[in-house]
Amino acid sequence: NQINHIGAGENLENANNYHIKEINGKKVCFYALCENEFSVATNNTPGANPYDPLITFDEILKLKNDSDFLIILFHGGREHYRYPTPNLQKVCRKMVDKGANLVVVQHTHCIGCMEEYKDATIVYGQGNFIFDITNNEYWLTSLILDVKVADKLIVDYIPIMKDQNIIRIANSTEKSSILKDFYYRSN
């Protein structure tokens, strides 16, 4: 259907893809990868683009050289844990060192925390968007990242809630509570 996609493909070569889009006169590159788990592509099977410390950082450097901004979606981290492990933080910071302007870690299934590292933003968990597994706060809240392209990437956070089968913007009280906890963890 000619829909741009990243981070998955019919084999390893096809899964290691990216997308560059011009936004406000800037070339923004989107790149996605995941920790090595059951879903990764191989030379002969479809799947997700795997993180490989011997390859990934060279890819990031190459992509940054071809774009003004680089946004990385990284499926990694510990489920239901709001903070990065020391190793995850090292990996994400190395992605920034190689050229990423924004790294969004997605796998924790809860809103985590964020850090400003050098001149980039790393978000360690934005929560779930739509899951019907359980009725606890981890599964009912999430953050949408509103990324503006200017002289640098500007990231704002929009808290959302899941009520039954409805996804909605958090009301002012919910928003205040979610963001207060998010920034507290981040500090």
Side-chain angles (χ1 to χ4, degrees):
N1 291 321
Q2 304 302 310
I3 297 171
N4 295 316
H5 68 281
I6 57 172
E10 59 198 31
N11 55 44
L12 186 57
E13 181 180 351
N14 186 258
N16 186 29
N17 54 24
Y18 60 93
H19 178 67
I20 295 179
K21 180 172 179 67
E22 188 167 318
I23 302 172
N24 294 336
K26 304 286 186 180
K27 288 171 48 176
V28 181
C29 182
F30 298 87
Y31 185 61
L33 60 157
C34 72
E35 290 179 334
N36 197 354
E37 55 183 29
F38 64 89
S39 64
V40 298
T42 69
N43 289 332
N44 303 313
T45 60
N49 184 30
Y51 161 73
D52 181 335
L54 300 177
I55 297 171
T56 297
F57 300 116
D58 292 336
E59 287 290 319
I60 291 170
L61 188 59
K62 180 185 80 146
L63 293 171
K64 179 58 178 185
N65 287 333
D66 293 338
S67 59
D68 297 305
F69 296 112
L70 175 58
I71 298 173
I72 297 177
L73 305 175
F74 183 46
H75 188 259
R78 296 187 62 193
E79 286 189 12
H80 306 129
Y81 189 63
R82 294 186 182 274
Y83 301 92
T85 63
N87 187 62
L88 179 61
Q89 188 175 46
K90 286 180 194 175
V91 167
C92 292
R93 287 179 172 184
K94 180 62 86 172
M95 290 177 181
V96 170
D97 291 339
K98 294 297 182 179
N101 301 97
L102 172 61
V103 178
V104 182
V105 179
Q106 305 164 318
H107 180 64
T108 60
H109 295 286
C110 61
I111 298 173
C113 57
M114 58 78 72
E115 73 170 313
E116 297 294 331
Y117 174 72
K118 297 190 174 176
D119 202 23
T121 301
I122 305 170
V123 180
Y124 299 104
Q126 66 196 90
N128 290 302
F129 185 70
I130 185 163
F131 276 97
D132 287 323
I133 294 176
T134 185
N135 254 350
N136 71 43
E137 186 259 338
Y138 282 11
W139 296 90
L140 300 178
T141 61
S142 187
L143 294 175
I144 294 175
L145 275 59
D146 180 11
V147 181
K148 293 174 181 60
V149 177
D151 291 334
K152 63 181 245 169
L153 295 182
I154 301 164
V155 182
D156 288 319
Y157 305 95
I158 302 170
I160 59 172
M161 304 288 296
K162 179 181 169 295
D163 282 331
Q164 304 289 324
N165 294 325
I166 297 170
I167 304 295
R168 63 173 174 79
I169 301 288
N171 66 37
S172 61
T173 303
E174 295 162 336
K175 175 182 177 178
S176 177
S177 175
I178 291 168
L179 290 178
K180 178 183 169 204
D181 291 346
F182 176 67
Y183 290 122
Y184 176 80
R185 286 188 299 276
S186 298
N187 286 331

